[in-house]
Coordinates of all heavy atoms in Angstrom, one line a residue:
M108 N 9.5 -13.4 8.4 CA 8.1 -13.5 8.6 C 7.3 -12.9 7.4 O 7.9 -12.1 6.6 CB 7.7 -12.8 9.9 CG 7.7 -11.3 9.8 SD 7.2 -10.5 11.4 CE 8.7 -10.8 12.3
R109 N 6.1 -13.3 7.2 CA 5.2 -12.7 6.2 C 4.3 -11.6 6.8 O 3.8 -11.8 7.9 CB 4.4 -13.8 5.5 CG 5.2 -14.7 4.6 CD 4.4 -15.7 3.8 NE 3.4 -15.1 3.1 CZ 3.5 -14.4 1.9 NH1 4.7 -14.2 1.4 NH2 2.4 -13.9 1.3
L110 N 4.2 -10.6 6.0 CA 3.4 -9.5 6.5 C 2.2 -9.2 5.4 O 2.4 -9.4 4.2 CB 4.2 -8.2 6.7 CG 5.3 -8.3 7.7 CD1 6.2 -6.9 7.6 CD2 4.9 -8.6 9.1
K111 N 1.1 -8.6 6.0 CA 0.1 -8.1 5.1 C -0.1 -6.6 5.4 O -0.1 -6.2 6.6 CB -1.2 -8.8 5.4 CG -2.3 -8.3 4.5 CD -3.6 -9.2 4.8 CE -4.7 -8.7 4.0 NZ -6.0 -9.5 4.2
V112 N -0.1 -5.8 4.4 CA -0.3 -4.3 4.6 C -1.6 -4.0 3.9 O -2.0 -4.5 2.8 CB 0.9 -3.5 4.0 CG1 1.0 -3.7 2.5 CG2 0.7 -2.0 4.2
E113 N -2.4 -3.3 4.6 CA -3.7 -2.7 4.1 C -3.5 -1.2 4.2 O -3.1 -0.7 5.2 CB -4.8 -3.2 4.9 CG -5.0 -4.7 5.0 CD -6.1 -5.1 6.0 OE1 -7.2 -4.8 5.7 OE2 -5.7 -5.8 7.0
F114 N -3.9 -0.5 3.1 CA -3.8 1.0 3.2 C -4.8 1.7 2.3 O -5.3 1.1 1.4 CB -2.4 1.4 2.8 CG -2.1 1.2 1.3 CD1 -2.3 2.2 0.3 CD2 -1.6 -0.1 0.9 CE1 -2.0 1.9 -1.0 CE2 -1.3 -0.3 -0.4 CZ -1.5 0.7 -1.3
T115 N -5.1 2.9 2.7 CA -5.8 3.9 1.8 C -5.2 5.2 1.8 O -4.4 5.5 2.7 CB -7.3 4.0 2.3 OG1 -7.2 4.5 3.7 CG2 -8.1 2.8 2.3
T116 N -5.4 5.9 0.7 CA -4.8 7.4 0.6 C -6.0 8.2 0.5 O -7.1 7.9 -0.1 CB -3.9 7.5 -0.5 OG1 -4.5 7.2 -1.7 CG2 -2.7 6.5 -0.3
E117 N -5.9 9.5 1.0 CA -7.0 10.4 0.9 C -6.4 11.7 0.4 O -5.2 11.9 0.6 CB -7.7 10.6 2.3 CG -8.3 9.3 2.8 CD -9.0 9.5 4.1 OE1 -9.6 10.6 4.3 OE2 -8.9 8.6 4.9
P118 N -7.1 12.6 -0.2 CA -8.6 12.6 -0.2 C -9.1 11.7 -1.4 O -8.4 11.4 -2.3 CB -9.0 14.0 -0.5 CG -7.7 14.7 -1.2 CD -6.6 13.9 -0.7
F119 N -10.4 11.2 -1.2 CA -11.0 10.4 -2.2 C -11.6 11.2 -3.3 O -11.9 12.4 -3.1 CB -12.2 9.6 -1.6 CG -11.8 8.6 -0.5 CD1 -12.2 8.8 0.8 CD2 -11.0 7.6 -0.8 CE1 -11.8 7.9 1.8 CE2 -10.6 6.7 0.1 CZ -11.0 6.8 1.5
D120 N -11.7 10.6 -4.5 CA -12.3 11.3 -5.7 C -12.9 10.1 -6.4 O -12.2 9.3 -7.0 CB -11.4 12.1 -6.5 CG -12.0 12.7 -7.7 OD1 -13.2 12.3 -8.1 OD2 -11.5 13.7 -8.3
L121 N -14.3 10.0 -6.3 CA -14.9 8.9 -7.0 C -15.0 9.0 -8.5 O -15.3 8.0 -9.1 CB -16.3 8.6 -6.3 CG -16.3 8.3 -4.9 CD1 -17.8 8.2 -4.4 CD2 -15.6 7.0 -4.6
D122 N -14.8 10.2 -9.0 CA -14.9 10.3 -10.5 C -13.6 10.0 -11.2 O -13.7 9.5 -12.3 CB -15.3 11.8 -10.8 CG -16.7 12.1 -10.3 OD1 -17.5 11.2 -10.3 OD2 -17.0 13.2 -9.8
E123 N -12.5 10.3 -10.6 CA -11.2 10.1 -11.2 C -10.1 9.8 -10.2 O -10.1 10.5 -9.1 CB -10.8 11.4 -12.0 CG -9.5 11.2 -12.8 CD -9.3 12.5 -13.5 OE1 -10.2 13.2 -13.9 OE2 -8.0 12.7 -13.9
A124 N -9.2 8.9 -10.4 CA -8.3 8.5 -9.4 C -7.3 9.7 -9.2 O -6.7 10.2 -10.2 CB -7.5 7.3 -9.9
P125 N -7.2 10.2 -8.0 CA -6.2 11.3 -7.8 C -4.8 10.8 -7.9 O -4.4 9.6 -7.9 CB -6.4 11.7 -6.3 CG -7.4 10.7 -5.8 CD -7.8 9.8 -6.8
A126 N -3.9 11.8 -8.1 CA -2.5 11.4 -8.4 C -1.9 10.6 -7.3 O -1.1 9.6 -7.7 CB -1.6 12.7 -8.6
H127 N -2.2 10.8 -6.1 CA -1.6 10.0 -5.0 C -2.1 8.5 -5.1 O -1.3 7.7 -4.7 CB -1.9 10.6 -3.7 CG -3.3 10.8 -3.3 ND1 -4.1 9.8 -2.9 CD2 -4.1 11.9 -3.4 CE1 -5.3 10.2 -2.7 NE2 -5.4 11.5 -3.0
A128 N -3.3 8.4 -5.5 CA -3.8 7.0 -5.7 C -3.1 6.3 -6.8 O -2.8 5.1 -6.7 CB -5.3 7.0 -5.9
V129 N -2.9 7.0 -7.9 CA -2.2 6.4 -9.0 C -0.7 6.0 -8.6 O -0.2 5.0 -8.9 CB -2.2 7.3 -10.3 CG1 -1.3 6.9 -11.3 CG2 -3.5 7.6 -10.7
V130 N -0.1 6.9 -7.9 CA 1.3 6.6 -7.4 C 1.3 5.4 -6.5 O 2.1 4.6 -6.6 CB 1.8 7.8 -6.7 CG1 3.1 7.6 -5.9 CG2 2.1 9.0 -7.7
A131 N 0.3 5.3 -5.6 CA 0.2 4.1 -4.7 C 0.1 2.9 -5.5 O 0.8 1.9 -5.1 CB -1.0 4.2 -3.7
R132 N -0.7 2.8 -6.6 CA -0.8 1.6 -7.3 C 0.5 1.3 -8.0 O 0.9 0.1 -8.1 CB -1.9 1.8 -8.4 CG -3.2 1.9 -7.9 CD -4.3 2.0 -8.9 NE -5.6 2.3 -8.2 CZ -6.4 3.2 -8.6 NH1 -6.2 3.9 -9.7 NH2 -7.6 3.4 -8.0
E133 N 1.2 2.4 -8.6 CA 2.5 2.1 -9.1 C 3.5 1.6 -8.2 O 4.3 0.7 -8.6 CB 3.0 3.4 -9.8 CG 2.2 3.9 -11.0 CD 2.5 5.3 -11.4 OE1 3.3 6.0 -10.8 OE2 2.0 5.7 -12.5
V134 N 3.5 2.1 -7.0 CA 4.5 1.6 -6.0 C 4.3 0.1 -5.6 O 5.2 -0.7 -5.6 CB 4.4 2.4 -4.6 CG1 5.2 1.8 -3.5 CG2 4.9 3.9 -4.9
I135 N 3.0 -0.2 -5.5 CA 2.6 -1.6 -5.1 C 2.9 -2.5 -6.3 O 3.5 -3.6 -6.1 CB 1.2 -1.7 -4.7 CG1 0.9 -1.0 -3.4 CG2 0.7 -3.1 -4.7 CD1 1.7 -1.7 -2.2
A136 N 2.6 -2.1 -7.5 CA 2.9 -2.9 -8.7 C 4.3 -3.2 -8.9 O 4.7 -4.3 -9.4 CB 2.2 -2.2 -10.0
A137 N 5.2 -2.2 -8.6 CA 6.6 -2.4 -8.8 C 7.3 -3.2 -7.8 O 8.4 -3.6 -7.9 CB 7.3 -1.0 -8.9
A138 N 6.6 -3.4 -6.6 CA 7.3 -4.1 -5.5 C 7.2 -5.6 -5.7 O 6.4 -6.1 -6.5 CB 6.5 -3.8 -4.2
E139 N 8.1 -6.3 -5.0 CA 8.1 -7.7 -5.1 C 7.2 -8.3 -4.0 O 7.7 -8.9 -3.0 CB 9.6 -8.2 -4.8 CG 10.5 -7.8 -6.0 CD 11.9 -8.4 -5.8 OE1 12.0 -9.4 -5.2 OE2 12.8 -7.8 -6.4
L140 N 5.9 -8.1 -4.2 CA 4.9 -8.6 -3.3 C 4.0 -9.6 -4.1 O 4.0 -9.6 -5.2 CB 4.1 -7.4 -2.8 CG 4.9 -6.3 -2.0 CD1 4.0 -5.2 -1.8 CD2 5.5 -6.9 -0.8
D141 N 3.2 -10.3 -3.2 CA 2.2 -11.1 -3.8 C 0.9 -10.9 -3.2 O 0.8 -10.1 -2.3 CB 2.6 -12.7 -3.7 CG 3.1 -13.0 -2.3 OD1 2.3 -12.9 -1.4 OD2 4.3 -13.4 -2.2
A142 N -0.2 -11.5 -3.7 CA -1.5 -11.3 -3.2 C -1.9 -9.9 -3.2 O -2.5 -9.4 -2.2 CB -1.7 -12.0 -1.9
V143 N -1.6 -9.1 -4.2 CA -1.9 -7.7 -4.3 C -3.3 -7.5 -4.7 O -3.8 -8.1 -5.7 CB -1.0 -6.9 -5.3 CG1 -1.4 -5.5 -5.5 CG2 0.5 -7.0 -4.8
D144 N -4.1 -6.6 -4.0 CA -5.5 -6.3 -4.3 C -5.6 -4.8 -4.2 O -5.5 -4.2 -3.1 CB -6.4 -7.0 -3.4 CG -7.9 -6.8 -3.8 OD1 -8.2 -6.4 -5.0 OD2 -8.7 -6.9 -2.9
V145 N -5.8 -4.1 -5.4 CA -6.0 -2.7 -5.4 C -7.4 -2.3 -5.8 O -8.0 -2.9 -6.7 CB -5.0 -2.1 -6.4 CG1 -5.2 -0.6 -6.6 CG2 -3.6 -2.4 -6.1
G146 N -8.0 -1.5 -4.9 CA -9.4 -1.2 -5.1 C -9.6 0.3 -4.7 O -8.7 1.0 -4.3
P147 N -10.9 0.8 -5.0 CA -11.1 2.2 -4.8 C -11.1 2.7 -3.3 O -10.9 3.8 -3.0 CB -12.5 2.5 -5.5 CG -13.1 1.2 -5.4 CD -12.0 0.1 -5.6
F148 N -11.4 1.8 -2.4 CA -11.5 2.1 -1.0 C -10.6 1.5 -0.1 O -10.6 1.6 1.1 CB -12.9 1.8 -0.5 CG -14.1 2.5 -1.3 CD1 -14.8 1.9 -2.1 CD2 -14.2 3.9 -1.1 CE1 -15.8 2.6 -2.8 CE2 -15.1 4.6 -1.8 CZ -16.0 4.0 -2.7
G149 N -9.6 0.7 -0.6 CA -8.6 0.1 0.1 C -7.8 -0.8 -0.7 O -8.2 -1.3 -1.8
N150 N -6.6 -1.1 -0.2 CA -5.6 -1.9 -1.0 C -4.9 -2.8 -0.1 O -4.7 -2.4 1.1 CB -4.5 -1.0 -1.6 CG -5.2 0.2 -2.4 OD1 -5.7 0.0 -3.5 ND2 -5.2 1.4 -1.9
T151 N -4.6 -4.0 -0.5 CA -3.8 -4.9 0.4 C -2.7 -5.6 -0.5 O -2.8 -5.7 -1.7 CB -4.7 -6.1 0.9 OG1 -5.3 -6.8 -0.2 CG2 -5.8 -5.5 1.8
A152 N -1.7 -6.0 0.2 CA -0.6 -6.7 -0.4 C 0.1 -7.5 0.7 O 0.1 -7.1 1.8 CB 0.4 -5.7 -1.1
E153 N 0.7 -8.6 0.3 CA 1.3 -9.5 1.2 C 2.7 -9.8 0.7 O 3.0 -9.8 -0.5 CB 0.6 -10.9 1.3 CG -0.7 -10.8 1.9 CD -1.5 -12.1 2.0 OE1 -0.9 -13.1 1.8 OE2 -2.7 -12.0 2.2
G154 N 3.6 -10.1 1.6 CA 5.0 -10.5 1.2 C 5.9 -10.7 2.4 O 5.5 -10.6 3.5
G155 N 7.1 -11.0 2.1 CA 8.1 -11.1 3.1 C 8.3 -9.8 3.8 O 8.0 -8.7 3.3
S156 N 8.7 -9.8 5.1 CA 8.8 -8.6 5.8 C 9.7 -7.5 5.2 O 9.3 -6.3 5.2 CB 9.3 -8.9 7.3 OG 10.6 -9.5 7.3
D157 N 10.9 -7.9 4.7 CA 11.7 -6.8 4.1 C 11.0 -6.2 2.9 O 11.1 -4.9 2.8 CB 13.0 -7.5 3.5 CG 14.0 -7.8 4.7 OD1 13.8 -7.3 5.8 OD2 14.8 -8.6 4.5
A158 N 10.3 -6.9 2.1 CA 9.6 -6.3 0.9 C 8.5 -5.5 1.4 O 8.3 -4.3 0.8 CB 9.2 -7.5 0.0
V159 N 7.7 -5.8 2.3 CA 6.6 -5.1 2.8 C 7.0 -3.8 3.5 O 6.4 -2.8 3.2 CB 5.6 -5.9 3.7 CG1 4.6 -5.0 4.4 CG2 5.0 -6.9 2.9
L160 N 8.0 -3.9 4.3 CA 8.5 -2.7 5.0 C 9.1 -1.7 4.1 O 9.0 -0.4 4.3 CB 9.5 -3.1 6.2 CG 8.8 -3.9 7.3 CD1 9.8 -4.4 8.2 CD2 7.7 -3.2 8.0
T161 N 9.8 -2.2 3.1 CA 10.4 -1.3 2.0 C 9.3 -0.6 1.3 O 9.4 0.6 1.0 CB 11.3 -2.1 1.1 OG1 12.4 -2.7 1.9 CG2 11.9 -1.2 0.0
V162 N 8.3 -1.3 0.8 CA 7.2 -0.7 0.1 C 6.4 0.2 0.9 O 5.9 1.3 0.5 CB 6.3 -1.8 -0.6 CG1 5.3 -2.3 0.4 CG2 5.6 -1.1 -1.8
V163 N 6.2 0.0 2.3 CA 5.6 0.9 3.1 C 6.3 2.3 3.2 O 5.7 3.4 3.1 CB 5.3 0.3 4.5 CG1 4.9 1.4 5.6 CG2 4.3 -0.7 4.5
D164 N 7.6 2.2 3.3 CA 8.4 3.5 3.3 C 8.2 4.2 2.0 O 8.0 5.4 1.9 CB 9.9 3.1 3.5 CG 10.8 4.4 3.5 OD1 10.7 5.2 4.3 OD2 11.6 4.5 2.5
S165 N 8.4 3.5 0.9 CA 8.2 4.2 -0.4 C 6.8 4.7 -0.6 O 6.6 5.8 -1.1 CB 8.5 3.2 -1.5 OG 8.5 3.7 -2.8
L166 N 5.8 3.9 -0.2 CA 4.4 4.3 -0.4 C 4.1 5.6 0.4 O 3.5 6.6 -0.1 CB 3.6 3.2 0.1 CG 2.0 3.4 0.2 CD1 1.5 3.3 -1.2 CD2 1.3 2.5 1.1
L167 N 4.6 5.7 1.6 CA 4.3 6.9 2.4 C 5.0 8.1 1.8 O 4.4 9.2 1.6 CB 4.8 6.7 3.9 CG 4.0 5.8 4.7 CD1 4.7 5.5 6.0 CD2 2.7 6.3 4.9
R168 N 6.3 8.0 1.4 CA 7.0 9.1 0.9 C 6.4 9.6 -0.5 O 6.2 10.8 -0.7 CB 8.5 8.7 0.6 CG 9.3 8.5 2.0 CD 10.6 8.1 1.7 NE 11.3 7.6 2.9 CZ 11.9 8.5 3.8 NH1 11.9 9.8 3.6 NH2 12.4 8.1 4.9
K169 N 6.1 8.6 -1.3 CA 5.7 9.0 -2.6 C 4.2 9.5 -2.7 O 3.9 10.4 -3.5 CB 5.9 7.9 -3.6 CG 7.4 7.6 -3.9 CD 7.7 6.5 -4.8 CE 9.1 6.3 -5.1 NZ 9.5 5.3 -6.0
T170 N 3.3 8.9 -1.9 CA 1.9 9.4 -2.0 C 1.8 10.7 -1.3 O 1.0 11.5 -1.8 CB 1.0 8.3 -1.3 OG1 1.4 8.0 0.0 CG2 0.9 7.0 -2.2
L171 N 2.5 11.0 -0.2 CA 2.4 12.3 0.4 C 3.0 13.3 -0.6 O 2.4 14.4 -0.7 CB 3.2 12.3 1.8 CG 2.5 11.4 2.8 CD1 3.5 11.3 4.0 CD2 1.2 12.0 3.2
A172 N 4.1 13.0 -1.2 CA 4.6 14.0 -2.2 C 3.7 14.2 -3.4 O 3.7 15.3 -4.0 CB 6.0 13.4 -2.8
A173 N 2.8 13.2 -3.7 CA 1.9 13.4 -4.8 C 0.6 13.9 -4.4 O -0.4 14.1 -5.2 CB 1.6 12.0 -5.5
G174 N 0.5 14.4 -3.1 CA -0.7 15.2 -2.7 C -1.7 14.5 -1.8 O -2.7 15.0 -1.4
A175 N -1.3 13.3 -1.3 CA -2.2 12.7 -0.3 C -2.1 13.5 1.1 O -1.1 14.0 1.4 CB -1.6 11.2 0.0
T176 N -3.3 13.7 1.7 CA -3.4 14.4 2.9 C -3.4 13.5 4.1 O -3.4 13.9 5.2 CB -4.5 15.4 3.0 OG1 -5.7 14.6 2.7 CG2 -4.4 16.5 1.8
R177 N -3.7 12.2 3.8 CA -3.8 11.2 4.8 C -3.5 9.8 4.1 O -4.0 9.5 3.1 CB -5.2 11.1 5.4 CG -5.3 10.0 6.5 CD -6.7 9.8 7.0 NE -7.0 11.0 7.8 CZ -7.8 10.9 8.9 NH1 -8.4 9.8 9.2 NH2 -8.1 12.0 9.6
V178 N -2.7 9.1 4.8 CA -2.4 7.7 4.5 C -2.7 6.9 5.7 O -2.1 7.0 6.7 CB -1.0 7.4 4.0 CG1 -0.8 6.0 3.6 CG2 -0.6 8.4 2.8
S179 N -3.7 5.9 5.6 CA -4.1 5.1 6.7 C -3.6 3.8 6.3 O -3.8 3.3 5.2 CB -5.6 5.0 6.9 OG -6.1 6.3 7.2
L180 N -2.8 3.1 7.2 CA -2.3 1.8 7.0 C -2.3 0.9 8.2 O -2.2 1.4 9.3 CB -1.0 1.8 6.3 CG 0.3 2.3 7.0 CD1 1.0 1.1 7.7 CD2 1.2 3.0 6.0
Q181 N -2.2 -0.4 7.9 CA -2.2 -1.4 9.0 C -1.3 -2.5 8.5 O -1.4 -2.9 7.3 CB -3.6 -1.9 9.2 CG -3.6 -3.0 10.3 CD -5.1 -3.4 10.7 OE1 -5.8 -2.5 11.0 NE2 -5.5 -4.6 10.5
V182 N -0.4 -2.9 9.3 CA 0.5 -4.0 8.9 C 0.3 -5.1 10.0 O 0.3 -4.9 11.2 CB 2.0 -3.6 9.0 CG1 2.9 -4.8 8.6 CG2 2.2 -2.4 8.0
N183 N 0.0 -6.4 9.4 CA -0.2 -7.5 10.3 C 0.8 -8.6 9.9 O 1.1 -8.9 8.7 CB -1.6 -8.1 10.0 CG -2.7 -7.2 10.5 OD1 -2.8 -6.8 11.7 ND2 -3.5 -6.7 9.6
V184 N 1.3 -9.3 11.0 CA 2.0 -10.5 10.7 C 1.0 -11.6 10.4 O 0.1 -11.9 11.2 CB 2.8 -10.9 12.1 CG1 3.6 -12.3 11.8 CG2 3.8 -9.8 12.4
I185 N 1.3 -12.4 9.3 CA 0.3 -13.4 8.9 C 1.0 -14.7 8.8 O 0.4 -15.7 8.5 CB -0.3 -13.0 7.5 CG1 0.8 -12.8 6.4 CG2 -1.2 -11.8 7.6 CD1 0.2 -12.7 5.0
G186 N 2.3 -14.9 9.1 CA 2.9 -16.2 9.2 C 4.4 -16.1 9.0 O 5.0 -15.0 8.9
E187 N 5.0 -17.2 8.8 CA 6.5 -17.3 8.6 C 6.7 -17.3 7.1 O 6.0 -17.9 6.3 CB 7.0 -18.5 9.3 CG 7.0 -18.5 10.8 CD 7.8 -17.3 11.4 OE1 9.0 -17.1 10.9 OE2 7.3 -16.6 12.3
D188 N 7.8 -16.7 6.7 CA 8.2 -16.7 5.3 C 8.8 -18.2 4.9 O 9.5 -18.7 5.8 CB 9.3 -15.6 5.0 CG 9.4 -15.3 3.6 OD1 8.7 -16.0 2.7 OD2 10.1 -14.3 3.3
S189 N 8.4 -18.6 3.8 CA 8.7 -20.0 3.5 C 10.1 -20.1 2.9 O 10.6 -21.2 2.5 CB 7.7 -20.7 2.5 OG 7.6 -19.8 1.3
K190 N 10.7 -19.0 2.7 CA 12.1 -18.9 2.1 C 13.2 -19.2 3.0 O 13.2 -19.0 4.2 CB 12.3 -17.6 1.4 CG 11.4 -17.3 0.3 CD 11.6 -16.0 -0.3 CE 10.7 -15.7 -1.4 NZ 10.9 -14.4 -2.0

């Protein structure tokens, strides 16, 4: 199945991206996902279930280790994987 993950990390800093936000971008960029959209107030990515679930695990572990005090996320089933 295909999944879509939407997430934010906190605390926010509008002047400079905090370390946990930079780590989140790096995790998403390195993953085998498609339809990635990274922004200051939310991020989304889509992909096969294995890829999305793997990146969610890595995202949580690495952003918390980098100083995030909250990670909000939502995962939705958006269809069947075409592979």
Side-chain angles (χ1 to χ4, degrees):
M108 77 180 71
R109 287 188 53 77
L110 301 175
K111 178 178 183 178
V112 61
E113 302 174 61
F114 68 92
T115 58
T116 60
E117 296 179 41
F119 295 115
D120 183 341
L121 296 178
D122 295 326
E123 184 176 334
H127 59 80
V129 173
V130 166
R132 290 182 191 135
E133 291 170 352
V134 168
I135 291 296
E139 294 184 24
L140 300 173
D141 45 64
V143 173
D144 183 22
V145 177
F148 299 108
N150 310 283
T151 62
E153 298 177 11
S156 59
D157 287 340
V159 170
L160 295 174
T161 297
V162 81
V163 165
D164 177 67
S165 181
L166 178 77
L167 290 171
R168 292 175 189 279
K169 291 181 178 182
T170 57
L171 292 170
T176 57
R177 176 187 290 214
V178 180
S179 302
L180 68 91
Q181 180 172 304
V182 177
N183 293 299
V184 175
I185 57 171
E187 290 301 316
D188 202 350
S189 61
K190 294 180 181 178

